[in-house]
Amino acid sequence: MTQRRETQSRSTPAALSRRGKARTPIPVESADIRLIRIFLRVVEAGGLSAAQSELNLALSSISEKISALEARYGLKLCKRGRGGFALTPAGEDFYKEAQRLLGTLDQFSSRVSALGAQMPRSLSIGLVDNTISDPLCPISRAVALFAELAPHVHLEIITLSPGELLREVIGQKVDLAVGSFPRAAMGLDYLSLHDERHNIYCATDHPLFDLPDDQIGIDTIREHRIIARSYWASRDIRVFAIAAPHATVSNMEAEAHLILSGTYLGYLPDHYAAQFGDQLRKIRPDLFSYVAKFQVATRQDWQSRHATRAFIEALQQASNELRRP
């Protein structure tokens, strides 16, 4: 192809971000995939007119779809018109990244489609609560990928605390669990997905809400009521060096209720706390912030269990897409 310049220094996501300030990642939706495939056909054909017969679309329709793709990702991908067709520098990089993306999708589809005849009738998945507000949570995208590749498998999804999920996996009551697990159980594999940032929060009626951060230390925190999560109680007590918590909860919604009362301090994931806006304030993130590692926990024979393997691969693909700059 003569229109596209081969410039290796622009071929990575890092190179793309060097051209300007990194933006919030845009999730790749199924509609995007179709637009990306059209863009690749146009590039490989050498222009919109040359791609018409292969795509079986009107010239105006092809142009609209390229424009929609540019608007979706905020990039000028190509020059088109009387002067002919040519990729912009951003378009060259986008083309290479699109090739990688579709290559990964094709490999995944080929591997899993070969397992179709061996798929079991059902798959049981365990989740920790309140992950839907996390923009990096890959569950929804993974379900879409899995449903396309294994449409006849019945999904059962349960929500439990991390410790309970691990017991269900060990007891073979669920096939895999997704969460952040404070304690690793023997005999399981743990596969990394993404990170979740947590901070300690107080509400508007709490005495610390208007106190500047530089006047708050660990001794200040210990003077107030502290919530412990039953599944991470030892961590919460250890961080603040207290003998016992003033309240214990088993899920984030219960913790949010206590914090919003204005009486307690407690940890929440930042994505979950964001829904409460100015009602909550994070306290000393420089001291108390931490990252929870989200993983898939499953029995060590997971690669021989076809539906479990397919769903885990869908989770990994979805997680990679969401974390891609």
Side-chain angles (χ1 to χ4, degrees), residues 36-109:
I36 289 170
R37 290 190 187 278
I38 290 172
F39 172 72
L40 290 183
R41 296 291 179 271
V42 169
V43 174
E44 289 159 4
L48 278 67
S49 298
Q52 271 188 278
S53 58
E54 183 180 353
L55 292 172
N56 195 27
L57 292 172
L59 191 62
S60 59
S61 179
I62 298 173
S63 181
E64 287 172 3
K65 294 183 188 307
I66 298 295
S67 296
L69 186 63
E70 291 176 324
R72 169 71 169 156
Y73 290 98
L75 296 169
K76 180 66 176 176
L77 299 177
C78 58
K79 298 174 183 177
R80 49 197 187 273
R82 293 183 179 178
F85 177 84
L87 289 175
T88 64
E92 294 176 9
D93 291 333
F94 189 91
Y95 175 77
K96 292 171 184 174
E97 293 301 327
Q99 285 182 308
R100 291 191 186 97
L101 171 62
L102 296 186
T104 301
L105 284 174
D106 290 342
Q107 290 173 11
F108 176 72
S109 179

Side-chain angles (χ1 to χ4, degrees), residues 138-147 311 314-316 318:
I139 296 295
S140 300
R141 175 64 178 147
V143 167
L145 290 170
F146 183 80
F311 195 84
L315 281 168
Q316 292 172 325

Side-chain angles (χ1 to χ4, degrees), residues 160-196:
L160 294 170
S161 69
E164 290 172 321
L165 288 176
L166 293 182
R167 286 195 293 273
E168 295 293 288
V169 174
I170 292 170
Q172 300 188 25
K173 294 181 179 178
V174 299
D175 296 297
L176 63 102
V178 178
S180 182
F181 304 104
R183 292 177 292 275
M186 297 290 290
L188 301 181
D189 279 351
Y190 296 86
L191 309 172
S192 296
L193 291 177
H194 66 283
D195 294 342
E196 180 185 67

